Amino acid sequence: MGAGQTPYGDHPTLGIKEMFNAALGDAMQSVDRGVDPREIQAAYVGTLGSGGFQIGQPGALVAGYAGLPPIPVYHLENACASGGFALLAGVTAILSGLYDLVLVAGMEKMTDLSSAAAKYWLGVSGDTEFERLAGLTFAGLFALTAQRYMLDYGMPRETLSRVAVKNHRNGALNPKAHLRRAISLERALAGPPVAHPLNVFDCCPISDGAAVVLLASEERARSLTDAPVFLRGFGSGSDHLALHSRDSVTSLRASRKAAEDAYRMAGVGPGDVAFAEVHDCFTIAEIVAYEDLGFAQPGQGWRLIEEGATTAEGRLPVNLSGGLKAKGHPLGATGVGQAYEVFNQLRGEAQAPERQVRRGGLALTHNIGGIGGTAVVCIYEGGEGW
Amino acid sequence: MGAHVSVPMYQRSVGQRYRLLGQRCRGCGRVNFPPAGACMYCGSRDGFDEAQLSGRGKIYTFTEIAPGGAPPEFARQAALTGSYIVAIVELAEGPRVVAQLVDCTFSDLQVGKEVMMVVRRIYVEEGVVRYGYKFRLA
Protein backbone atom coordinates (compact mmCIF):
# COMPACT_ATOMS: atom_id res chain seq x y z
CA MET A 1 0.00 0.00 0.00
CA GLY A 2 2.99 2.28 -0.19
CA ALA A 3 6.22 2.52 -2.12
CA GLY A 4 9.08 4.98 -2.40
CA GLN A 5 12.45 5.31 -4.02
CA THR A 6 15.34 7.74 -4.09
CA PRO A 7 16.51 8.68 -7.55
CA TYR A 8 19.20 6.18 -8.52
CA GLY A 9 22.55 7.69 -9.40
CA ASP A 10 25.65 9.29 -7.95
CA HIS A 11 24.78 10.82 -4.57
CA PRO A 12 27.99 12.14 -3.01
CA THR A 13 26.12 13.77 -0.12
CA LEU A 14 24.00 10.75 0.83
CA GLY A 15 24.96 7.56 2.69
CA ILE A 16 22.82 4.47 3.24
CA LYS A 17 21.11 6.00 6.29
CA GLU A 18 20.02 9.11 4.43
CA MET A 19 18.95 7.19 1.32
CA PHE A 20 16.92 4.69 3.35
CA ASN A 21 15.27 7.54 5.24
CA ALA A 22 14.43 9.39 2.03
CA ALA A 23 12.92 6.29 0.44
CA LEU A 24 10.90 5.63 3.60
CA GLY A 25 9.60 9.19 3.56
CA ASP A 26 8.66 8.82 -0.10
CA ALA A 27 6.86 5.54 0.67
CA MET A 28 4.94 6.99 3.60
CA GLN A 29 3.83 9.89 1.46
CA SER A 30 2.40 7.45 -1.07
CA VAL A 31 -0.02 5.97 1.51
CA ASP A 32 -3.28 7.66 0.61
CA ARG A 33 -4.70 7.99 4.12
CA GLY A 34 -1.33 8.30 5.80
CA VAL A 35 0.48 5.91 8.09
CA ASP A 36 2.24 6.43 11.40
CA PRO A 37 5.74 4.88 11.20
CA ARG A 38 5.22 3.53 14.72
CA GLU A 39 2.60 1.17 13.28
CA ILE A 40 5.26 -0.66 11.24
CA GLN A 41 5.82 -3.99 13.00
CA ALA A 42 9.03 -5.27 11.37
CA ALA A 43 11.59 -4.26 8.75
CA TYR A 44 13.33 -6.44 6.14
CA VAL A 45 16.39 -4.82 4.62
CA GLY A 46 18.23 -6.13 1.57
CA THR A 47 21.78 -5.00 0.87
CA LEU A 48 25.08 -6.55 -0.11
CA GLY A 49 26.93 -3.97 1.96
CA SER A 50 29.25 -2.77 -0.82
CA GLY A 51 32.33 -1.07 0.54
CA GLY A 52 32.18 -3.04 3.74
CA PHE A 53 31.56 -0.04 5.99
CA GLN A 54 28.63 -1.77 7.74
CA ILE A 55 28.64 -5.44 6.89
CA GLY A 56 27.04 -6.42 10.19
CA GLN A 57 23.59 -5.15 11.15
CA PRO A 58 23.07 -2.51 8.45
CA GLY A 59 19.32 -2.90 9.02
CA ALA A 60 19.61 -1.72 12.59
CA LEU A 61 21.77 1.20 11.46
CA VAL A 62 19.30 2.56 8.95
CA ALA A 63 16.17 1.73 10.95
CA GLY A 64 17.64 3.51 13.96
CA TYR A 65 18.38 6.58 11.87
CA ALA A 66 14.77 6.61 10.70
CA GLY A 67 13.34 6.25 14.20
CA LEU A 68 12.00 2.71 13.85
CA PRO A 69 13.39 0.92 16.97
CA PRO A 70 12.54 -1.25 18.80
CA ILE A 71 10.85 -3.26 16.01
CA PRO A 72 12.67 -6.36 14.75
CA VAL A 73 14.95 -5.73 11.78
CA TYR A 74 16.22 -8.41 9.41
CA HIS A 75 19.16 -8.08 7.03
CA LEU A 76 18.92 -10.24 3.93
CA GLU A 77 21.80 -10.74 1.54
CA ASN A 78 21.59 -12.53 -1.80
CA ALA A 79 23.79 -10.18 -3.83
CA CYS A 80 21.79 -8.36 -6.53
CA ALA A 81 18.66 -10.26 -5.39
CA SER A 82 18.92 -9.07 -1.79
CA GLY A 83 15.98 -6.73 -2.32
CA GLY A 84 13.84 -9.42 -3.91
CA PHE A 85 14.48 -11.82 -1.07
CA ALA A 86 13.82 -9.09 1.53
CA LEU A 87 10.50 -8.57 -0.21
CA LEU A 88 9.64 -12.26 0.02
CA ALA A 89 10.66 -12.31 3.69
CA GLY A 90 8.21 -9.48 4.35
CA VAL A 91 5.50 -11.15 2.29
CA THR A 92 5.81 -14.48 4.09
CA ALA A 93 5.72 -12.69 7.45
CA ILE A 94 2.41 -11.07 6.47
CA LEU A 95 1.06 -14.37 5.11
CA SER A 96 2.03 -16.16 8.33
CA GLY A 97 -0.35 -13.87 10.19
CA LEU A 98 2.37 -12.69 12.55
CA TYR A 99 2.27 -9.10 11.24
CA ASP A 100 -0.14 -7.03 9.20
CA LEU A 101 2.13 -4.09 8.34
CA VAL A 102 5.83 -4.41 7.54
CA LEU A 103 8.50 -2.44 5.75
CA VAL A 104 10.77 -3.85 3.05
CA ALA A 105 13.83 -1.93 1.93
CA GLY A 106 16.71 -2.37 -0.44
CA MET A 107 19.73 -0.11 -0.61
CA GLU A 108 23.31 0.13 -1.81
CA LYS A 109 25.99 2.80 -1.66
CA MET A 110 28.42 2.16 -4.49
CA THR A 111 29.91 5.45 -5.70
CA ASP A 112 31.99 6.04 -2.55
CA LEU A 113 34.30 3.37 -3.89
CA SER A 114 37.28 3.70 -6.20
CA SER A 115 36.92 1.93 -9.52
CA ALA A 116 39.11 -0.96 -8.30
CA ALA A 117 37.19 -1.30 -5.03
CA ALA A 118 33.85 -1.19 -6.87
CA LYS A 119 35.01 -4.01 -9.16
CA TYR A 120 36.11 -5.95 -6.11
CA TRP A 121 32.69 -5.58 -4.48
CA LEU A 122 30.90 -6.35 -7.74
CA GLY A 123 32.78 -9.64 -7.86
CA VAL A 124 32.40 -10.87 -4.30
CA SER A 125 29.11 -12.60 -5.04
CA GLY A 126 30.41 -14.93 -7.69
CA ASP A 127 32.25 -18.18 -6.97
CA THR A 128 35.48 -16.82 -5.48
CA GLU A 129 37.58 -19.98 -5.37
CA PHE A 130 37.35 -21.00 -9.00
CA GLU A 131 35.49 -18.48 -11.19
CA ARG A 132 37.01 -15.37 -9.75
CA LEU A 133 40.51 -16.80 -9.89
CA ALA A 134 40.12 -17.27 -13.63
CA GLY A 135 39.97 -13.46 -13.85
CA LEU A 136 36.22 -13.08 -14.17
CA THR A 137 33.74 -10.58 -12.82
CA PHE A 138 30.06 -10.77 -13.70
CA ALA A 139 30.69 -8.97 -16.98
CA GLY A 140 32.97 -11.84 -17.95
CA LEU A 141 30.47 -14.46 -16.85
CA PHE A 142 27.61 -12.88 -18.79
CA ALA A 143 29.97 -12.57 -21.75
CA LEU A 144 30.52 -16.35 -21.63
CA THR A 145 26.73 -16.72 -21.68
CA ALA A 146 26.34 -14.26 -24.55
CA GLN A 147 29.03 -15.92 -26.65
CA ARG A 148 27.48 -19.36 -26.29
CA TYR A 149 23.95 -17.97 -26.83
CA MET A 150 24.96 -16.31 -30.10
CA LEU A 151 26.58 -19.53 -31.31
CA ASP A 152 23.70 -21.81 -30.30
CA TYR A 153 20.83 -19.63 -31.50
CA GLY A 154 22.27 -17.44 -34.23
CA MET A 155 21.62 -14.15 -32.48
CA PRO A 156 23.48 -11.23 -34.11
CA ARG A 157 25.66 -9.02 -31.90
CA GLU A 158 23.45 -6.03 -32.73
CA THR A 159 20.51 -7.54 -30.84
CA LEU A 160 22.36 -7.06 -27.55
CA SER A 161 22.80 -3.37 -28.33
CA ARG A 162 19.12 -3.06 -29.21
CA VAL A 163 18.32 -4.06 -25.62
CA ALA A 164 20.49 -1.18 -24.41
CA VAL A 165 18.87 1.25 -26.87
CA LYS A 166 15.37 0.23 -25.73
CA ASN A 167 16.14 0.52 -22.04
CA HIS A 168 17.96 3.83 -22.39
CA ARG A 169 14.95 5.18 -24.27
CA ASN A 170 12.69 4.13 -21.39
CA GLY A 171 15.10 5.42 -18.76
CA ALA A 172 15.21 8.84 -20.40
CA LEU A 173 11.56 9.28 -19.39
CA ASN A 174 12.00 8.09 -15.80
CA PRO A 175 12.80 11.00 -13.45
CA LYS A 176 14.32 8.56 -10.95
CA ALA A 177 16.62 6.82 -13.43
CA HIS A 178 20.40 7.17 -13.31
CA LEU A 179 21.11 7.37 -17.05
CA ARG A 180 18.37 9.61 -18.40
CA ARG A 181 19.42 9.74 -22.00
CA ALA A 182 18.59 7.87 -25.15
CA ILE A 183 21.45 6.33 -27.13
CA SER A 184 21.66 5.39 -30.81
CA LEU A 185 22.35 1.86 -32.00
CA GLU A 186 25.62 3.08 -33.54
CA ARG A 187 26.77 4.44 -30.19
CA ALA A 188 25.67 1.31 -28.33
CA LEU A 189 27.69 -0.82 -30.73
CA ALA A 190 30.80 1.34 -30.43
CA GLY A 191 31.28 1.33 -26.65
CA PRO A 192 34.70 0.47 -25.24
CA PRO A 193 35.07 -3.33 -24.85
CA VAL A 194 34.57 -4.87 -21.41
CA ALA A 195 34.35 -8.61 -22.03
CA HIS A 196 33.80 -9.75 -25.61
CA PRO A 197 31.10 -9.49 -26.94
CA LEU A 198 29.94 -7.07 -24.23
CA ASN A 199 30.96 -3.42 -24.27
CA VAL A 200 30.28 -0.62 -21.79
CA PHE A 201 26.79 -0.04 -23.20
CA ASP A 202 25.86 -3.66 -22.49
CA CYS A 203 26.53 -3.15 -18.77
CA CYS A 204 24.47 -1.46 -16.08
CA PRO A 205 26.06 1.54 -14.35
CA ILE A 206 27.36 1.76 -10.78
CA SER A 207 24.64 3.52 -8.81
CA ASP A 208 23.59 4.59 -5.35
CA GLY A 209 20.00 4.25 -4.28
CA ALA A 210 17.37 2.95 -1.91
CA ALA A 211 13.78 1.79 -2.28
CA VAL A 212 11.10 1.02 0.30
CA VAL A 213 7.74 -0.69 0.02
CA LEU A 214 5.14 -1.02 2.74
CA LEU A 215 3.35 -4.37 2.78
CA ALA A 216 0.09 -5.02 4.57
CA SER A 217 -2.55 -7.69 4.87
CA GLU A 218 -5.47 -7.05 2.52
CA GLU A 219 -7.71 -5.83 5.34
CA ARG A 220 -5.08 -3.46 6.65
CA ALA A 221 -4.21 -2.23 3.18
CA ARG A 222 -7.84 -1.37 2.44
CA SER A 223 -8.00 0.72 5.61
CA LEU A 224 -5.04 2.79 4.41
CA THR A 225 -5.72 3.20 0.70
CA ASP A 226 -8.43 2.81 -1.95
CA ALA A 227 -5.86 1.76 -4.53
CA PRO A 228 -3.81 -1.12 -3.16
CA VAL A 229 -1.67 -3.23 -5.46
CA PHE A 230 -1.95 -6.98 -4.90
CA LEU A 231 0.84 -9.53 -4.97
CA ARG A 232 -0.83 -12.50 -6.68
CA GLY A 233 2.06 -14.91 -6.79
CA PHE A 234 5.72 -15.22 -5.99
CA GLY A 235 8.48 -17.73 -6.36
CA SER A 236 12.18 -18.02 -5.76
CA GLY A 237 14.98 -20.43 -6.51
CA SER A 238 18.69 -21.10 -6.48
CA ASP A 239 21.38 -22.84 -8.50
CA HIS A 240 25.03 -23.84 -8.26
CA LEU A 241 26.89 -20.60 -7.62
CA ALA A 242 29.52 -21.32 -10.27
CA LEU A 243 28.31 -21.09 -13.86
CA HIS A 244 30.57 -23.94 -14.94
CA SER A 245 28.80 -26.33 -12.54
CA ARG A 246 25.47 -25.94 -14.35
CA ASP A 247 23.98 -27.91 -17.22
CA SER A 248 23.32 -24.79 -19.25
CA VAL A 249 25.04 -21.41 -19.49
CA THR A 250 22.24 -19.90 -21.60
CA SER A 251 19.31 -20.38 -19.20
CA LEU A 252 19.04 -19.81 -15.45
CA ARG A 253 17.42 -22.64 -13.52
CA ALA A 254 16.84 -20.38 -10.51
CA SER A 255 14.77 -18.02 -12.69
CA ARG A 256 12.78 -20.86 -14.23
CA LYS A 257 11.95 -22.33 -10.82
CA ALA A 258 10.98 -18.90 -9.44
CA ALA A 259 8.77 -18.18 -12.45
CA GLU A 260 7.06 -21.58 -12.40
CA ASP A 261 6.21 -21.21 -8.72
CA ALA A 262 5.00 -17.63 -9.15
CA TYR A 263 2.75 -18.50 -12.11
CA ARG A 264 1.35 -21.52 -10.28
CA MET A 265 0.56 -19.53 -7.15
CA ALA A 266 -1.12 -16.79 -9.19
CA GLY A 267 -2.96 -19.33 -11.35
CA VAL A 268 -1.79 -17.59 -14.52
CA GLY A 269 0.74 -18.00 -17.30
CA PRO A 270 3.22 -15.84 -19.19
CA GLY A 271 0.47 -14.79 -21.61
CA ASP A 272 -1.36 -13.00 -18.80
CA VAL A 273 1.55 -10.65 -18.12
CA ALA A 274 0.96 -7.16 -19.52
CA PHE A 275 4.34 -5.67 -18.62
CA ALA A 276 7.47 -6.71 -16.77
CA GLU A 277 10.55 -5.42 -15.01
CA VAL A 278 13.34 -7.95 -15.59
CA HIS A 279 16.90 -8.16 -14.34
CA ASP A 280 19.01 -6.69 -17.17
CA CYS A 281 22.33 -6.18 -15.38
CA PHE A 282 23.84 -6.97 -18.79
CA THR A 283 21.95 -6.88 -22.08
CA ILE A 284 22.19 -10.65 -22.57
CA ALA A 285 20.51 -11.15 -19.20
CA GLU A 286 17.28 -9.56 -20.47
CA ILE A 287 17.16 -11.90 -23.46
CA VAL A 288 17.79 -14.97 -21.29
CA ALA A 289 15.10 -13.73 -18.89
CA TYR A 290 12.49 -13.63 -21.70
CA GLU A 291 13.02 -17.36 -22.13
CA ASP A 292 13.26 -18.30 -18.45
CA LEU A 293 10.04 -16.36 -17.75
CA GLY A 294 8.20 -18.06 -20.60
CA PHE A 295 7.79 -14.96 -22.78
CA ALA A 296 9.62 -16.83 -25.54
CA GLN A 297 10.73 -20.38 -26.27
CA PRO A 298 14.37 -21.33 -25.56
CA GLY A 299 16.57 -19.75 -28.21
CA GLN A 300 13.84 -17.37 -29.36
CA GLY A 301 14.09 -14.60 -26.76
CA TRP A 302 16.28 -12.41 -28.96
CA ARG A 303 13.55 -12.32 -31.59
CA LEU A 304 11.29 -10.36 -29.21
CA ILE A 305 13.89 -7.58 -29.34
CA GLU A 306 14.15 -7.77 -33.13
CA GLU A 307 10.34 -7.64 -33.43
CA GLY A 308 10.07 -4.70 -31.03
CA ALA A 309 7.64 -6.72 -28.88
CA THR A 310 9.09 -5.43 -25.61
CA THR A 311 9.40 -1.71 -26.37
CA ALA A 312 7.11 0.76 -24.59
CA GLU A 313 4.70 0.50 -27.55
CA GLY A 314 5.06 -3.25 -27.96
CA ARG A 315 2.67 -5.97 -26.89
CA LEU A 316 4.73 -6.75 -23.74
CA PRO A 317 6.67 -3.70 -22.53
CA VAL A 318 9.75 -4.76 -20.55
CA ASN A 319 11.74 -2.44 -18.31
CA LEU A 320 9.64 0.69 -18.73
CA SER A 321 11.66 2.08 -15.82
CA GLY A 322 14.82 1.85 -17.91
CA GLY A 323 15.75 -1.40 -16.19
CA LEU A 324 19.02 -1.92 -14.41
CA LYS A 325 20.69 -0.77 -17.63
CA ALA A 326 19.43 2.82 -17.51
CA LYS A 327 17.55 3.21 -14.22
CA GLY A 328 20.65 1.94 -12.45
CA HIS A 329 21.50 -1.03 -10.28
CA PRO A 330 22.21 -0.22 -6.63
CA LEU A 331 22.52 -3.95 -5.91
CA GLY A 332 20.34 -4.43 -2.83
CA ALA A 333 17.84 -1.77 -3.93
CA THR A 334 17.02 -3.33 -7.29
CA GLY A 335 14.44 -5.95 -6.27
CA VAL A 336 12.54 -3.42 -4.17
CA GLY A 337 12.86 -0.69 -6.79
CA GLN A 338 11.18 -3.02 -9.29
CA ALA A 339 8.21 -3.31 -6.89
CA TYR A 340 8.17 0.50 -6.62
CA GLU A 341 7.91 0.83 -10.41
CA VAL A 342 5.11 -1.74 -10.62
CA PHE A 343 3.24 -0.10 -7.72
CA ASN A 344 3.21 3.24 -9.51
CA GLN A 345 2.34 1.77 -12.89
CA LEU A 346 -0.55 -0.32 -11.53
CA ARG A 347 -2.01 2.76 -9.84
CA GLY A 348 -1.74 4.84 -13.02
CA GLU A 349 0.85 7.01 -11.30
CA ALA A 350 3.94 6.64 -13.47
CA GLN A 351 5.61 10.03 -13.24
CA ALA A 352 5.07 10.99 -16.88
CA PRO A 353 2.07 10.11 -19.06
CA GLU A 354 4.30 8.95 -21.92
CA ARG A 355 5.72 6.19 -19.72
CA GLN A 356 2.44 5.04 -18.14
CA VAL A 357 1.50 1.50 -19.12
CA ARG A 358 -1.92 0.76 -20.61
CA ARG A 359 -4.59 -0.39 -18.15
CA GLY A 360 -5.37 -4.06 -17.68
CA GLY A 361 -3.35 -7.20 -17.12
CA LEU A 362 -0.72 -8.30 -14.67
CA ALA A 363 2.78 -7.10 -13.92
CA LEU A 364 5.82 -9.31 -13.35
CA THR A 365 9.14 -8.55 -11.67
CA HIS A 366 12.28 -10.68 -11.99
CA ASN A 367 15.35 -10.18 -9.80
CA ILE A 368 18.44 -12.40 -9.82
CA GLY A 369 21.56 -12.63 -7.66
CA GLY A 370 24.79 -12.52 -9.64
CA ILE A 371 24.38 -14.78 -12.67
CA GLY A 372 21.40 -16.59 -11.22
CA GLY A 373 22.75 -18.17 -8.06
CA THR A 374 19.44 -16.96 -6.66
CA ALA A 375 16.27 -15.54 -8.22
CA VAL A 376 12.90 -14.05 -7.28
CA VAL A 377 9.81 -13.59 -9.45
CA CYS A 378 6.68 -11.71 -8.33
CA ILE A 379 3.33 -11.26 -10.09
CA TYR A 380 1.22 -8.21 -9.28
CA GLU A 381 -2.31 -7.10 -10.03
CA GLY A 382 -3.83 -3.63 -9.83
CA GLY A 383 -6.85 -2.83 -7.68
CA GLU A 384 -10.52 -2.81 -8.69
CA GLY A 385 -11.11 -1.32 -12.11
CA TRP A 386 -7.50 -1.74 -13.30
CA MET B 1 42.17 -5.09 -2.99
CA GLY B 2 41.47 -8.39 -4.67
CA ALA B 3 39.60 -11.65 -4.35
CA HIS B 4 40.46 -12.88 -0.92
CA VAL B 5 41.59 -16.48 -0.89
CA SER B 6 43.80 -16.99 2.15
CA VAL B 7 46.90 -19.16 1.89
CA PRO B 8 45.32 -21.96 3.99
CA MET B 9 42.19 -21.87 1.83
CA TYR B 10 44.29 -22.01 -1.31
CA GLN B 11 46.32 -24.87 0.18
CA ARG B 12 43.18 -26.96 0.65
CA SER B 13 42.53 -26.86 -3.09
CA VAL B 14 46.03 -27.40 -4.51
CA GLY B 15 45.06 -30.92 -5.62
CA GLN B 16 42.56 -29.33 -7.94
CA ARG B 17 44.68 -26.34 -8.93
CA TYR B 18 47.93 -28.19 -9.69
CA ARG B 19 46.71 -31.62 -10.73
CA LEU B 20 43.00 -31.40 -11.62
CA LEU B 21 42.01 -33.96 -8.99
CA GLY B 22 38.31 -34.69 -9.19
CA GLN B 23 36.03 -37.22 -7.57
CA ARG B 24 34.07 -40.14 -8.98
CA CYS B 25 30.55 -40.58 -7.64
CA ARG B 26 29.95 -43.98 -6.02
CA GLY B 27 26.30 -43.66 -7.06
CA CYS B 28 26.45 -42.96 -10.82
CA GLY B 29 30.18 -43.25 -11.55
CA ARG B 30 30.45 -39.81 -13.14
CA VAL B 31 33.32 -37.45 -12.39
CA ASN B 32 32.77 -34.22 -10.46
CA PHE B 33 35.13 -31.25 -10.56
CA PRO B 34 35.67 -29.31 -8.39
CA PRO B 35 34.73 -31.64 -5.51
CA ALA B 36 31.23 -31.32 -4.09
CA GLY B 37 29.27 -32.73 -1.18
CA ALA B 38 26.62 -34.24 -3.43
CA CYS B 39 27.10 -35.47 -6.99
CA MET B 40 26.25 -32.64 -9.41
CA TYR B 41 24.76 -35.17 -11.83
CA CYS B 42 22.70 -37.61 -9.73
CA GLY B 43 22.54 -35.87 -6.34
CA SER B 44 23.95 -38.91 -4.54
CA ARG B 45 25.61 -38.25 -1.20
CA ASP B 46 26.97 -41.80 -0.93
CA GLY B 47 30.55 -40.66 -1.28
CA PHE B 48 33.26 -40.37 -3.90
CA ASP B 49 36.54 -41.92 -4.94
CA GLU B 50 39.44 -39.79 -6.13
CA ALA B 51 39.59 -39.37 -9.89
CA GLN B 52 42.53 -37.95 -11.82
CA LEU B 53 41.39 -35.88 -14.77
CA SER B 54 43.41 -36.00 -17.98
CA GLY B 55 43.61 -32.25 -18.48
CA ARG B 56 42.23 -32.61 -21.99
CA GLY B 57 39.09 -30.86 -23.02
CA LYS B 58 37.26 -28.67 -25.51
CA ILE B 59 36.32 -25.00 -25.45
CA TYR B 60 32.65 -24.69 -24.46
CA THR B 61 32.47 -20.88 -24.52
CA PHE B 62 35.05 -18.10 -24.27
CA THR B 63 35.49 -14.38 -23.84
CA GLU B 64 38.25 -11.78 -24.00
CA ILE B 65 38.48 -9.62 -20.90
CA ALA B 66 39.49 -6.02 -21.56
CA PRO B 67 41.23 -4.01 -18.82
CA GLY B 68 37.86 -2.43 -17.98
CA GLY B 69 36.35 -5.85 -17.32
CA ALA B 70 39.16 -7.27 -15.19
CA PRO B 71 38.82 -7.62 -11.42
CA PRO B 72 41.46 -5.61 -9.55
CA GLU B 73 43.73 -8.58 -8.85
CA PHE B 74 43.98 -9.18 -12.63
CA ALA B 75 44.18 -5.50 -13.63
CA ARG B 76 47.97 -5.63 -13.88
CA GLN B 77 47.83 -8.68 -16.13
CA ALA B 78 45.24 -6.98 -18.34
CA ALA B 79 47.30 -3.80 -18.47
CA LEU B 80 50.47 -5.68 -19.44
CA THR B 81 48.86 -7.88 -22.08
CA GLY B 82 46.06 -5.57 -23.23
CA SER B 83 43.48 -8.27 -22.53
CA TYR B 84 43.27 -11.91 -21.57
CA ILE B 85 41.08 -14.82 -22.58
CA VAL B 86 38.83 -16.81 -20.26
CA ALA B 87 36.95 -19.92 -21.31
CA ILE B 88 34.69 -22.57 -19.95
CA VAL B 89 36.41 -25.82 -20.91
CA GLU B 90 34.49 -29.09 -21.08
CA LEU B 91 36.92 -31.72 -19.86
CA ALA B 92 37.11 -35.12 -21.55
CA GLU B 93 35.74 -36.77 -18.39
CA GLY B 94 32.63 -34.54 -18.44
CA PRO B 95 32.90 -31.70 -15.95
CA ARG B 96 33.38 -28.11 -17.05
CA VAL B 97 35.94 -25.75 -15.58
CA VAL B 98 36.54 -22.05 -16.06
CA ALA B 99 40.10 -20.95 -16.70
CA GLN B 100 42.28 -18.64 -18.71
CA LEU B 101 43.49 -19.70 -22.15
CA VAL B 102 47.16 -18.89 -22.77
CA ASP B 103 49.60 -18.84 -25.69
CA CYS B 104 46.87 -18.02 -28.20
CA THR B 105 45.06 -15.04 -29.63
CA PHE B 106 41.33 -14.45 -29.64
CA SER B 107 41.04 -14.96 -33.40
CA ASP B 108 42.58 -18.48 -33.02
CA LEU B 109 39.66 -19.63 -30.96
CA GLN B 110 36.33 -21.24 -31.57
CA VAL B 111 33.95 -23.34 -29.55
CA GLY B 112 34.88 -27.02 -29.78
CA LYS B 113 38.64 -26.54 -30.23
CA GLU B 114 40.76 -28.97 -28.18
CA VAL B 115 42.78 -27.65 -25.27
CA MET B 116 45.25 -29.02 -22.73
CA MET B 117 45.86 -28.03 -19.13
CA VAL B 118 49.02 -26.20 -18.11
CA VAL B 119 50.10 -24.85 -14.70
CA ARG B 120 50.69 -21.11 -14.66
CA ARG B 121 50.93 -18.22 -12.29
CA ILE B 122 47.42 -17.08 -11.32
CA TYR B 123 47.97 -14.03 -9.11
CA VAL B 124 49.65 -12.80 -5.97
CA GLU B 125 47.93 -12.35 -2.63
CA GLU B 126 49.33 -11.97 0.88
CA GLY B 127 52.74 -11.77 -0.77
CA VAL B 128 52.43 -15.35 -2.02
CA VAL B 129 52.42 -16.24 -5.73
CA ARG B 130 49.50 -18.56 -6.46
CA TYR B 131 49.85 -21.14 -9.22
CA GLY B 132 47.04 -23.08 -10.82
CA TYR B 133 45.61 -24.47 -14.01
CA LYS B 134 45.15 -22.62 -17.24
CA PHE B 135 44.72 -24.14 -20.72
CA ARG B 136 46.47 -23.89 -24.08
CA LEU B 137 45.40 -25.10 -27.48
CA ALA B 138 46.20 -28.82 -27.82
Side-chain angles (χ1 to χ4, degrees), chain A:
Chain A
M1 22 65 70
Q5 187 200 299
T6 66
Y8 287 174
D10 186 352
H11 298 311
T13 62
L14 301 176
I16 53 171
K17 294 180 292 191
E18 294 85 359
M19 291 193 298
F20 170 84
N21 197 48
L24 173 61
D26 195 28
M28 284 174 31
Q29 235 174 9
S30 74
V31 179
D32 300 323
R33 285 192 276 278
V35 63
D36 184 331
R38 286 169 299 190
E39 294 175 44
I40 297 169
Q41 295 163 299
Y44 300 85
V45 178
T47 186
L48 171 65
S50 294
F53 44 82
Q54 189 66 58
I55 288 183
Q57 305 194 81
L61 177 75
V62 299
Y65 184 81
L68 296 174
I71 62 167
V73 178
Y74 296 76
H75 171 211
L76 289 104
E77 192 287 299
N78 263 339
C80 323
S82 299
F85 277 89
L87 184 66
L88 294 201
V91 167
T92 49
I94 297 279
L95 288 176
S96 78
L98 183 61
Y99 304 127
D100 62 10
L101 177 59
V102 304
L103 174 161
V104 172
M107 59 194 190
E108 209 72 39
K109 179 69 192 175
M110 303 182 73
T111 65
D112 281 356
L113 306 174
S114 68
S115 171
K119 280 179 193 162
Y120 166 77
W121 280 96
L122 284 168
V124 297
S125 308
D127 173 77
T128 301
E129 267 193 289
F130 291 96
E131 270 175 2
R132 178 66 180 259
L133 290 196
L136 289 177
T137 59
F138 284 113
L141 287 163
F142 277 98
L144 291 170
T145 290
Q147 186 86 336
R148 185 74 201 197
Y149 186 99
M150 291 195 298
L151 178 77
D152 286 352
Y153 302 127
M155 176 182 73
R157 168 66 186 85
E158 286 73 16
T159 311
L160 294 172
S161 294
R162 289 186 201 282
V163 175
V165 169
K166 170 181 78 71
N167 291 349
H168 269 271
R169 182 165 164 259
N170 290 343
L173 297 172
N174 182 354
K176 292 196 171 179
H178 186 175
L179 304 178
R180 297 190 58 205
R181 54 180 183 270
I183 57 169
S184 67
L185 181 61
E186 293 68 31
R187 182 139 190 252
L189 282 166
V194 174
H196 183 91
L198 306 180
N199 71 43
V200 164
F201 288 110
D202 292 295
C203 308
C204 63
I206 288 173
S207 313
D208 303 329
V212 165
V213 296
L214 297 169
L215 301 177
S217 63
E218 179 167 356
E219 186 184 354
R220 189 69 189 276
R222 289 194 189 281
S223 76
L224 294 167
T225 177
D226 292 327
V229 167
F230 296 95
L231 181 65
R232 286 301 182 205
F234 60 87
S236 53
S238 71
D239 203 349
H240 292 291
L241 187 58
L243 187 64
H244 58 86
S245 296
R246 304 179 191 167
D247 285 345
S248 170
V249 302
T250 55
S251 173
L252 302 178
R253 183 166 60 162
S255 291
R256 297 200 307 271
K257 153 87 170 146
E260 282 163 20
D261 287 356
Y263 287 132
R264 188 180 309 116
M265 186 187 291
V268 302
D272 299 304
V273 175
F275 69 101
E277 289 285 310
V278 314
H279 197 99
D280 60 326
C281 46
F282 299 91
T283 48
I284 182 64
E286 178 160 328
I287 289 167
V288 169
Y290 292 166
E291 300 171 17
D292 291 336
L293 297 170
F295 299 158
Q297 293 297 310
Q300 302 296 309
W302 65 277
R303 295 185 192 276
L304 295 186
I305 290 291
E306 292 296 324
E307 293 159 6
T310 55
T311 61
E313 301 79 18
R315 63 181 162 81
L316 174 59
V318 173
N319 286 333
L320 282 166
S321 69
L324 284 61
K325 178 70 203 72
K327 182 171 71 168
H329 180 29
L331 313 178
T334 286
V336 185
Q338 291 176 331
Y340 166 79
E341 170 72 9
V342 161
F343 178 80
N344 287 327
Q345 290 282 1
L346 288 176
R347 283 160 49 106
E349 294 173 352
Q351 295 91 338
E354 59 269 37
R355 67 179 225 91
Q356 172 64 50
V357 73
R358 297 177 293 268
R359 298 180 80 83
L362 304 173
L364 180 147
T365 60
H366 164 252
N367 181 207
I368 64 174
I371 189 159
T374 52
V376 173
V377 170
C378 294
I379 296 171
Y380 298 88
E381 185 176 19
E384 286 77 9
W386 176 255

Side-chain angles (χ1 to χ4, degrees), chain B residues 48-66:
Chain B
F48 300 90
D49 297 311
E50 202 171 86
Q52 176 62 57
L53 285 100
S54 63
R56 295 190 173 278
K58 290 180 179 175
I59 297 173
Y60 185 78
T61 180
F62 61 102
T63 181
E64 183 175 41
I65 308 290

